[in-house]
Short mmCIF file of all heavy atoms in Angstrom, two decimals:
data_model
loop_
_atom_site.label_atom_id
_atom_site.label_comp_id
_atom_site.label_asym_id
_atom_site.label_seq_id
_atom_site.Cartn_x
_atom_site.Cartn_y
_atom_site.Cartn_z
N GLN E 25 6.97 -10.11 16.49
CA GLN E 25 7.26 -10.87 17.71
C GLN E 25 8.03 -10.06 18.73
O GLN E 25 8.13 -10.55 19.90
CB GLN E 25 8.16 -12.10 17.31
CG GLN E 25 7.61 -12.92 16.15
CD GLN E 25 6.59 -13.98 16.70
OE1 GLN E 25 6.56 -14.27 17.89
NE2 GLN E 25 5.75 -14.45 15.78
N GLY E 26 8.56 -8.99 18.37
CA GLY E 26 9.21 -8.12 19.26
C GLY E 26 10.64 -8.54 19.71
O GLY E 26 11.28 -7.86 20.49
N ALA E 27 11.10 -9.60 19.07
CA ALA E 27 12.45 -10.09 19.41
C ALA E 27 12.91 -11.01 18.29
O ALA E 27 12.21 -11.77 17.74
CB ALA E 27 12.45 -10.85 20.71
N ILE E 28 14.23 -10.92 18.01
CA ILE E 28 14.84 -11.76 17.07
C ILE E 28 14.84 -13.19 17.53
O ILE E 28 14.48 -14.12 16.77
CB ILE E 28 16.31 -11.35 16.76
CG1 ILE E 28 16.35 -9.96 16.12
CG2 ILE E 28 17.04 -12.34 15.92
CD1 ILE E 28 17.75 -9.42 15.85
N ALA E 29 15.07 -13.32 18.84
CA ALA E 29 15.17 -14.68 19.39
C ALA E 29 13.82 -15.49 19.15
O ALA E 29 13.85 -16.62 18.79
CB ALA E 29 15.42 -14.62 20.88
N ARG E 30 12.71 -14.78 19.27
CA ARG E 30 11.44 -15.47 19.13
C ARG E 30 11.19 -15.93 17.70
O ARG E 30 10.68 -16.96 17.41
CB ARG E 30 10.28 -14.56 19.61
CG ARG E 30 10.34 -14.33 21.06
CD ARG E 30 9.02 -13.69 21.53
NE ARG E 30 7.92 -14.46 21.26
CZ ARG E 30 6.63 -14.11 21.49
NH1 ARG E 30 6.42 -12.94 22.07
NH2 ARG E 30 5.64 -14.85 21.16
N VAL E 31 11.65 -15.04 16.76
CA VAL E 31 11.52 -15.43 15.33
C VAL E 31 12.50 -16.55 15.01
O VAL E 31 12.14 -17.48 14.27
CB VAL E 31 11.83 -14.18 14.43
CG1 VAL E 31 11.71 -14.59 12.95
CG2 VAL E 31 10.87 -13.06 14.74
N ALA E 32 13.69 -16.45 15.50
CA ALA E 32 14.72 -17.48 15.26
C ALA E 32 14.36 -18.78 15.90
O ALA E 32 14.83 -19.87 15.48
CB ALA E 32 16.13 -17.03 15.72
N ASP E 33 13.62 -18.72 16.96
CA ASP E 33 13.09 -19.95 17.66
C ASP E 33 14.25 -20.83 18.09
O ASP E 33 14.17 -22.07 17.80
CB ASP E 33 12.12 -20.66 16.72
CG ASP E 33 11.29 -21.69 17.52
OD1 ASP E 33 11.07 -21.44 18.73
OD2 ASP E 33 10.85 -22.64 16.87
N GLY E 34 15.28 -20.25 18.67
CA GLY E 34 16.38 -21.11 19.22
C GLY E 34 17.44 -21.44 18.23
O GLY E 34 18.53 -21.88 18.66
N ASP E 35 17.19 -21.21 16.97
CA ASP E 35 18.21 -21.54 15.94
C ASP E 35 19.27 -20.41 15.87
O ASP E 35 18.95 -19.33 15.45
CB ASP E 35 17.49 -21.81 14.63
CG ASP E 35 18.46 -22.13 13.44
OD1 ASP E 35 19.67 -21.88 13.69
OD2 ASP E 35 18.07 -22.63 12.49
N PRO E 36 20.48 -20.69 16.25
CA PRO E 36 21.45 -19.61 16.30
C PRO E 36 21.87 -19.12 14.88
O PRO E 36 22.12 -17.88 14.74
CB PRO E 36 22.66 -20.21 16.98
CG PRO E 36 22.47 -21.70 16.86
CD PRO E 36 21.03 -21.97 16.77
N SER E 37 21.77 -19.95 13.85
CA SER E 37 22.10 -19.47 12.52
C SER E 37 21.03 -18.40 12.11
O SER E 37 21.35 -17.36 11.55
CB SER E 37 22.04 -20.61 11.50
OG SER E 37 22.58 -21.74 11.98
N ARG E 38 19.76 -18.82 12.35
CA ARG E 38 18.71 -17.90 12.00
C ARG E 38 18.87 -16.57 12.79
O ARG E 38 18.58 -15.48 12.23
CB ARG E 38 17.36 -18.59 12.25
CG ARG E 38 16.54 -18.73 11.01
CD ARG E 38 15.25 -19.42 11.26
NE ARG E 38 14.08 -18.53 11.10
CZ ARG E 38 13.88 -17.73 10.03
NH1 ARG E 38 14.74 -17.70 9.12
NH2 ARG E 38 12.81 -16.98 10.00
N GLN E 39 19.18 -16.68 14.03
CA GLN E 39 19.37 -15.47 14.86
C GLN E 39 20.38 -14.56 14.19
O GLN E 39 20.08 -13.35 14.03
CB GLN E 39 19.80 -15.89 16.25
CG GLN E 39 20.09 -14.67 17.19
CD GLN E 39 21.50 -14.16 17.03
OE1 GLN E 39 22.48 -14.89 17.05
NE2 GLN E 39 21.60 -12.81 17.02
N SER E 40 21.51 -15.13 13.79
CA SER E 40 22.54 -14.19 13.19
C SER E 40 22.12 -13.70 11.81
O SER E 40 22.30 -12.58 11.51
CB SER E 40 23.90 -15.03 13.06
OG SER E 40 23.90 -15.75 11.88
N LEU E 41 21.45 -14.55 11.09
CA LEU E 41 20.93 -14.14 9.78
C LEU E 41 19.99 -12.88 9.95
O LEU E 41 20.18 -11.91 9.27
CB LEU E 41 20.17 -15.27 9.11
CG LEU E 41 19.38 -14.94 7.87
CD1 LEU E 41 20.32 -14.40 6.80
CD2 LEU E 41 18.64 -16.14 7.31
N ILE E 42 19.08 -13.03 10.78
CA ILE E 42 18.05 -11.98 10.99
C ILE E 42 18.69 -10.67 11.48
O ILE E 42 18.42 -9.65 11.00
CB ILE E 42 16.92 -12.43 11.91
CG1 ILE E 42 16.19 -13.65 11.33
CG2 ILE E 42 15.98 -11.34 12.17
CD1 ILE E 42 15.23 -14.35 12.24
N SER E 43 19.56 -10.85 12.47
CA SER E 43 20.24 -9.72 12.96
C SER E 43 20.98 -8.94 11.83
O SER E 43 20.91 -7.74 11.75
CB SER E 43 21.23 -10.08 14.07
OG SER E 43 22.03 -9.01 14.43
N ARG E 44 21.67 -9.75 11.02
CA ARG E 44 22.42 -9.14 9.92
C ARG E 44 21.46 -8.52 8.90
O ARG E 44 21.67 -7.37 8.41
CB ARG E 44 23.23 -10.22 9.20
CG ARG E 44 24.14 -9.68 8.17
CD ARG E 44 24.89 -10.81 7.44
NE ARG E 44 23.95 -11.55 6.62
CZ ARG E 44 24.11 -12.85 6.33
NH1 ARG E 44 25.12 -13.50 6.80
NH2 ARG E 44 23.23 -13.47 5.57
N GLN E 45 20.35 -9.20 8.62
CA GLN E 45 19.41 -8.63 7.63
C GLN E 45 18.88 -7.30 8.05
O GLN E 45 18.76 -6.38 7.22
CB GLN E 45 18.28 -9.64 7.35
CG GLN E 45 18.73 -10.89 6.58
CD GLN E 45 17.55 -11.76 6.28
OE1 GLN E 45 16.79 -12.20 7.18
NE2 GLN E 45 17.41 -12.19 5.04
N ILE E 46 18.55 -7.21 9.32
CA ILE E 46 18.07 -5.90 9.81
C ILE E 46 19.10 -4.86 9.66
O ILE E 46 18.86 -3.71 9.23
CB ILE E 46 17.61 -6.04 11.27
CG1 ILE E 46 16.31 -6.98 11.37
CG2 ILE E 46 17.28 -4.72 11.90
CD1 ILE E 46 15.90 -7.21 12.76
N GLY E 47 20.32 -5.27 9.95
CA GLY E 47 21.45 -4.34 9.76
C GLY E 47 21.57 -3.86 8.34
O GLY E 47 21.79 -2.67 8.04
N GLU E 48 21.33 -4.78 7.42
CA GLU E 48 21.46 -4.47 6.00
C GLU E 48 20.32 -3.52 5.60
O GLU E 48 20.61 -2.60 4.73
CB GLU E 48 21.48 -5.76 5.17
CG GLU E 48 22.79 -6.52 5.27
CD GLU E 48 22.65 -8.00 4.87
OE1 GLU E 48 21.52 -8.52 4.91
OE2 GLU E 48 23.69 -8.62 4.57
N LEU E 49 19.17 -3.73 6.13
CA LEU E 49 18.08 -2.79 5.84
C LEU E 49 18.34 -1.44 6.39
O LEU E 49 18.13 -0.46 5.70
CB LEU E 49 16.77 -3.33 6.46
CG LEU E 49 16.07 -4.49 5.72
CD1 LEU E 49 14.81 -4.92 6.50
CD2 LEU E 49 15.73 -4.11 4.31
N GLU E 50 18.94 -1.40 7.59
CA GLU E 50 19.30 -0.09 8.14
C GLU E 50 20.30 0.63 7.29
O GLU E 50 20.19 1.83 7.10
CB GLU E 50 19.78 -0.31 9.60
CG GLU E 50 18.69 -0.69 10.57
CD GLU E 50 19.18 -0.97 11.97
OE1 GLU E 50 20.34 -1.42 12.13
OE2 GLU E 50 18.44 -0.69 12.92
N ALA E 51 21.26 -0.12 6.78
CA ALA E 51 22.24 0.46 5.97
C ALA E 51 21.57 0.99 4.64
O ALA E 51 21.86 2.10 4.16
CB ALA E 51 23.33 -0.54 5.53
N PHE E 52 20.64 0.19 4.12
CA PHE E 52 19.97 0.61 2.86
C PHE E 52 19.21 1.89 3.08
O PHE E 52 19.28 2.80 2.29
CB PHE E 52 19.04 -0.53 2.41
CG PHE E 52 18.21 -0.11 1.20
CD1 PHE E 52 18.79 -0.13 -0.02
CD2 PHE E 52 16.88 0.20 1.40
CE1 PHE E 52 17.97 0.27 -1.15
CE2 PHE E 52 16.16 0.62 0.31
CZ PHE E 52 16.69 0.62 -0.96
N PHE E 53 18.36 1.91 4.15
CA PHE E 53 17.51 3.08 4.32
C PHE E 53 18.26 4.25 5.03
O PHE E 53 17.74 5.37 5.02
CB PHE E 53 16.30 2.70 5.22
CG PHE E 53 15.28 1.87 4.44
CD1 PHE E 53 15.04 0.51 4.79
CD2 PHE E 53 14.62 2.43 3.37
CE1 PHE E 53 14.07 -0.19 4.11
CE2 PHE E 53 13.66 1.68 2.70
CZ PHE E 53 13.39 0.33 3.06
N GLY E 54 19.38 3.90 5.58
CA GLY E 54 20.17 5.01 6.22
C GLY E 54 19.53 5.45 7.49
O GLY E 54 19.61 6.61 7.80
N ALA E 55 18.89 4.57 8.19
CA ALA E 55 18.27 4.94 9.46
C ALA E 55 18.22 3.73 10.40
O ALA E 55 18.14 2.63 9.93
CB ALA E 55 16.85 5.49 9.23
N GLU E 56 18.27 3.99 11.65
CA GLU E 56 18.05 2.92 12.69
C GLU E 56 16.61 2.41 12.64
O GLU E 56 15.71 3.25 12.58
CB GLU E 56 18.41 3.44 14.10
CG GLU E 56 19.79 3.96 14.28
CD GLU E 56 20.73 2.82 14.61
OE1 GLU E 56 20.59 2.23 15.67
OE2 GLU E 56 21.69 2.56 13.83
N LEU E 57 16.46 1.14 12.56
CA LEU E 57 15.12 0.56 12.55
C LEU E 57 14.82 -0.01 13.95
O LEU E 57 13.71 -0.11 14.37
CB LEU E 57 14.99 -0.52 11.46
CG LEU E 57 15.21 0.04 10.03
CD1 LEU E 57 15.20 -1.13 9.08
CD2 LEU E 57 14.14 1.07 9.74
N THR E 58 15.88 -0.49 14.59
CA THR E 58 15.72 -1.04 15.94
C THR E 58 16.76 -0.43 16.88
O THR E 58 17.79 0.15 16.37
CB THR E 58 15.96 -2.59 15.97
OG1 THR E 58 17.29 -2.85 15.55
CG2 THR E 58 15.00 -3.32 15.05
N ARG E 59 16.53 -0.50 18.15
CA ARG E 59 17.56 -0.14 19.07
C ARG E 59 17.52 -1.14 20.23
O ARG E 59 16.50 -1.76 20.44
CB ARG E 59 17.35 1.32 19.60
CG ARG E 59 16.13 1.46 20.58
CD ARG E 59 16.14 2.81 21.26
NE ARG E 59 15.79 3.91 20.30
CZ ARG E 59 14.55 4.31 20.08
NH1 ARG E 59 13.55 3.75 20.70
NH2 ARG E 59 14.28 5.31 19.26
#
Side-chain angles (χ1 to χ4, degrees):
Chain E
Q25 307 276 342
I28 293 178
R30 293 191 56 182
V31 179
D33 196 27
D35 180 341
S37 321
R38 239 179 112 51
Q39 178 273 315
S40 83
L41 169 60
I42 297 170
S43 172
R44 188 186 65 210
Q45 287 183 311
I46 293 177
E48 286 161 340
L49 285 178
E50 289 177 328
F52 174 79
F53 287 115
E56 300 274 295
L57 300 173
T58 60
R59 70 169 72 90

